Amino acid sequence: MKKHNFSAGPCILPQEVFEKSAQAVLNFNDSGLSILEISHRSKDFVAVMDEARALALELLGLENKGYQALFLQGGASMEFLRVPNNLMKIGGKAAYLDTGTWASGAIKEAKNFGETQIVASSKSENYNHIPKNFLIPEDANYFHCTSNNTIFGTQMKSFPETKIPVVCDMSSDIFSRQLDFSKFDLIYAGAQKNMGPAGVTLVVLKEEILGKTERNIPSILDYQKHISAESMYNTPPVFAVYTSLLTMKWLKNLGGISAIEQINIAKAKLLYDEIDRNPLFEGTAKTEDRSNMNATFLLKDNSHTEIFDKMWKEAGISGLPGHRSVGGYRASMYNALPLESIQVLVDVMQELRFKI
Ligand SMILES: *Cc1c(COP(=O)(O)O)cnc(C)c1O
């Protein structure tokens, strides 16, 4: 039986995507060949890459606006260093918002390239909220933020206005909610949180921000080289790109980002209402900054842990423990997780009150 999969990543994908990608491993496009054994330069795979790049821009509302979409390797972690390598001038500086483990990982890499100015941080309160009302220095080469903090369960509900390029790590909430994506100059997202299997990262960037650093950029790190090669500078991870395309098509058929956003809001509300109503639990993120993708919560009394863990496992739930650095529980409610799975979790939380 299919589990109710609350894993933070790699995560649940739509069932039809699992089925279609499995089929393509056996026989891709009725070609008599597996997607895994055809040349990435073949007509069939070039069409996959082209469609995936175009559909990413279409879903984000960024076609014909000077943006390029790339499917690259190295995970979101690679973008932590590709971004400063491509955007930070020699002797320049970059501005970073520190909202969690991944944001601070990006800061650590940027420090190798120049000065990083941390405009605000919620570290001293274990990243339980998103800092607000900070100033962004306009002499920085770019501003970097993390839209959704996968580990701590916080999400930026608004983004600061600034004249400098805005770079955003959207790994764990890409394609989950409607934003004016044209306010961002570079967006990146590791696929395995909401888009596809591990092994590929979507990078969407405004081409005009490139070429301003005079830095000597190693080829594999150079966004311009990847754009010129139409995201085929070297062998792309064909299976991950194809599966990401299937997920994007699924999303388009569902009505796109605005349609999934409504579903995601309903899912998050169902769970947060229970966390707030149930006297045995408490949320760890500040209410106004709660993530609609990853809900973090605790049992108020640790002595209930054993029975609660047994109950949700018996209900067919998987992937609920919090990140090892935080503990407690984390319910990841990515696009493909059905509302019914959240109802199962809520039912278990309610039942716990009668079992203790
Ligand atoms: C998971 C995650 C990362 C790291 O992604 P990798 O693909 O493992 O490098 C970075 N940022 C955020 C917000 C994440 O959720």
Side-chain angles (χ1 to χ4, degrees):
M1 200 190 81
K2 177 79 179 134
K3 292 268 172 84
H4 301 287
N5 186 6
F6 288 88
S7 168
C11 75
I12 186 170
L13 295 174
Q15 190 60 28
E16 72 170 65
V17 169
F18 287 137
E19 283 161 16
K20 286 183 179 164
S21 62
Q23 181 53 41
V25 169
L26 298 173
N27 184 2
F28 174 54
N29 280 357
D30 269 329
S31 63
L33 294 165
S34 165
I35 179 94
L36 304 181
E37 64 178 335
I38 59 169
S39 166
H40 60 290
R41 308 269 176 210
S42 65
K43 196 165 93 330
D44 278 358
F45 187 76
V46 171
V48 167
M49 181 60 97
D50 289 349
E51 191 180 357
R53 296 178 70 208
L55 188 49
L57 293 182
E58 184 188 328
L59 286 169
L60 298 171
L62 292 176
E63 319 112 291
N64 305 319
K65 290 186 178 161
Y67 285 83
Q68 293 278 350
L70 300 169
F71 285 89
L72 305 179
Q73 295 186 74
S77 302
M78 182 68 93
E79 304 319 308
F80 294 171
L81 72 113
R82 255 197 205 113
V83 164
N85 220 321
N86 282 266
L87 302 184
M88 211 195 282
K89 294 191 173 132
I90 293 173
K93 77 169 175 186
Y96 277 75
L97 179 62
D98 179 23
T99 53
T101 308
W102 298 119
S104 59
I107 293 164
K108 182 166 166 271
E109 294 305 322
K111 280 187 178 151
N112 292 315
F113 297 87
E115 185 191 341
T116 53
Q117 184 173 333
I118 297 175
V119 295
S121 172
S122 47
K123 186 174 182 186
S124 62
E125 283 145 291
N126 202 27
Y127 296 117
N128 69 353
H129 68 283
I130 304 283
K132 308 201 178 61
N133 302 321
F134 46 83
L135 285 176
I136 298 176
E138 292 199 341
D139 59 341
N141 300 145
Y142 62 90
F143 167 67
H144 180 285
C145 58
T146 310
S147 55
N148 185 71
N149 298 283
T150 328
I151 293 175
F152 298 94
T154 61
Q155 186 173 36
M156 294 178 78
K157 305 294 172 183
S158 63
F159 292 84
E161 297 283 336
T162 174
K163 291 198 185 78
I164 63 175
V166 176
V167 177
C168 189
D169 176 357
M170 294 195 188
S171 292
S172 52
D173 67 353
I174 187 86
F175 299 142
S176 74
R177 58 170 169 165
Q178 198 53 52
L179 293 171
D180 180 356
F181 294 101
S182 69
K183 294 236 162 107
F184 300 90
D185 297 271
L186 192 154
I187 295 165
Y188 62 90
Q192 73 276 15
K193 305 281 165 53
N194 213 10
M195 187 168 66
V200 74
T201 312
L202 172 64
V203 177
V204 172
L205 78 169
K206 215 173 196 172
E207 211 169 344
E208 68 180 32
I209 64 172
L210 299 176
K212 304 203 166 145
T213 70
E214 284 160 24
R215 203 180 274 284
N216 189 12
I217 307 171
S219 302
I220 194 76
L221 300 180
D222 189 342
Y223 289 127
Q224 195 66 65
K225 285 217 165 66
H226 288 286
I227 292 171
S228 305
E230 302 185 328
S231 206
M232 295 266 206
Y233 174 76
N234 63 333
T235 316
V238 291
F239 182 72
V241 173
Y242 181 66
T243 307
S244 298
L245 171 61
L246 292 176
T247 311
M248 290 190 288
K249 283 182 166 175
W250 167 85
L251 180 55
K252 186 182 170 178
N253 285 339
L254 208 99
I257 295 180
S258 57
I260 200 82
E261 178 177 34
Q262 294 313 311
I263 299 171
N264 288 335
I265 288 170
K267 279 155 47 180
K269 184 173 186 313
L270 181 60
L271 181 55
Y272 284 122
D273 280 354
E274 181 59 25
I275 291 171
D276 291 340
R277 188 172 44 224
N278 192 319
L280 303 178
F281 294 93
E282 64 186 333
T284 58
K286 207 167 168 188
T287 310
E288 65 187 25
D289 298 326
R290 280 174 168 174
S291 165
N292 281 355
M293 291 283 101
N294 316 91
T296 48
F297 58 99
L298 303 168
L299 270 169
K300 284 186 190 157
D301 181 344
N302 274 333
S303 73
H304 300 147
T305 304
E306 201 175 321
I307 174 141
F308 180 58
D309 288 355
K310 186 164 174 283
M311 286 171 69
W312 59 257
K313 281 173 196 160
E314 278 173 9
I317 287 171
S318 167
L320 204 59
H323 189 269
R324 58 190 187 278
S325 64
V326 183
Y329 299 96
R330 170 174 52 170
S332 296
M333 307 174 277
Y334 297 119
N335 287 353
L337 185 82
L339 184 81
E340 296 75 60
S341 291
I342 299 184
Q343 188 63 55
V344 170
L345 173 59
V346 165
D347 289 347
V348 169
M349 291 165 77
Q350 287 175 352
E351 256 174 68
L352 182 66
R353 296 176 65 181
F354 304 101
K355 289 273 172 75
I356 54 170

